[in-house]
Amino acid sequence: MRFEDRAGAGRALAEQLDRLELADPVVLGLPRGGVPVAAEVARALGAPLDVFVARKVGAPGHEEYGIGAVAEGGVRVADEAILPRLGITPDVFDRLAARADAEVVANVERFRQGRPLPRISGRVVVLVDDGLATGMTALAALRALRRLQPARLVLGEPVCAASAVRQLEEEADDIECVHQPEEFHAVGAWYVD
């Protein structure tokens, strides 16, 4: 199963989320790929849409390989199992995470232009991305959002690696994934466009 594009994936995810009968949700998309998916979800649920910024911390020389992530509000997570295997010391990770933190701050300003996040406390929050590979970025975002005390925190993904879903089960109140393939290599492989 491949999605035609992010909008089509959003419509499929919205159908699945609609069954949860979420009361007065706010939908937050992770830039960039999650925003077009989230836009379709928000439209279908009749919910407000905004962005929530988190950024992968990539391995040196292999930036697409996530060794951790950072999110708004100063949240940092590291894949403690993989760092020693790659020879990445805590100091090196801190330097890499500081660069990613700076990008998060810049992107919050770029995408929100001074607007605050919508009210999160006491609300149902649906966090949406275009796919879940390692789960590091979603982990950072979920932990940051949990600090804001939502009534319910739902993670919505069109396509998910099963190992990442297992890792995040304790972080989200619900994880809704349209497709969990047996083999998962990269999010982009599940989209025609």
Side-chain angles (χ1 to χ4, degrees), residues 53-78:
V53 183
R55 181 110 174 113
K56 176 182 359 184
V57 176
H62 302 280
E63 284 70 25
E64 282 304 306
Y65 183 69
I67 59 170
V70 299
E72 297 184 46
V75 171
R76 286 184 179 181
V77 296

Side-chain angles (χ1 to χ4, degrees), residues 23-176:
D24 188 32
V26 59
V27 177
L28 301 175
L30 288 171
R32 294 175 311 189
V35 173
V37 178
E40 294 296 326
V41 169
R43 186 177 357 270
L45 298 179
L49 169 68
D50 213 319
V51 298
F52 193 80
V53 183
R55 181 110 174 113
K56 176 182 359 184
V57 176
H62 302 280
E63 284 70 25
E64 282 304 306
Y65 183 69
I67 59 170
V70 299
E72 297 184 46
V75 171
R76 286 184 179 181
V77 296
D79 187 335
E80 300 296 342
I82 200 70
L83 294 181
R85 285 190 265 169
L86 296 177
I88 298 172
T89 65
D91 287 344
V92 170
F93 181 79
D94 284 344
R95 282 195 302 276
L96 295 169
R99 280 189 228 138
D101 282 332
E103 290 179 40
V104 165
V105 169
N107 281 333
V108 166
E109 179 55 35
R110 176 177 166 215
F111 294 127
R112 280 208 217 99
Q113 300 177 351
R115 287 182 299 106
L117 265 174
R119 181 178 55 82
I120 302 297
S121 178
R123 290 188 79 180
V124 173
V125 175
V126 181
L127 178 66
V128 176
D129 202 1
D130 60 348
L132 191 61
T134 66
M136 284 285 121
T137 305
L139 177 61
L142 288 167
R143 286 188 178 169
L145 287 165
R146 184 66 74 192
R147 289 180 175 181
L148 301 175
Q149 302 178 330
R152 186 172 174 191
L153 186 53
V154 178
L155 177 63
E157 302 276 356
V159 61
C160 303
S163 60
V165 171
R166 284 190 300 275
Q167 174 188 346
L168 297 173
E169 287 174 335
E170 298 292 317
E171 304 291 336
D173 298 312
D174 296 288
I175 300 175
E176 294 296 321

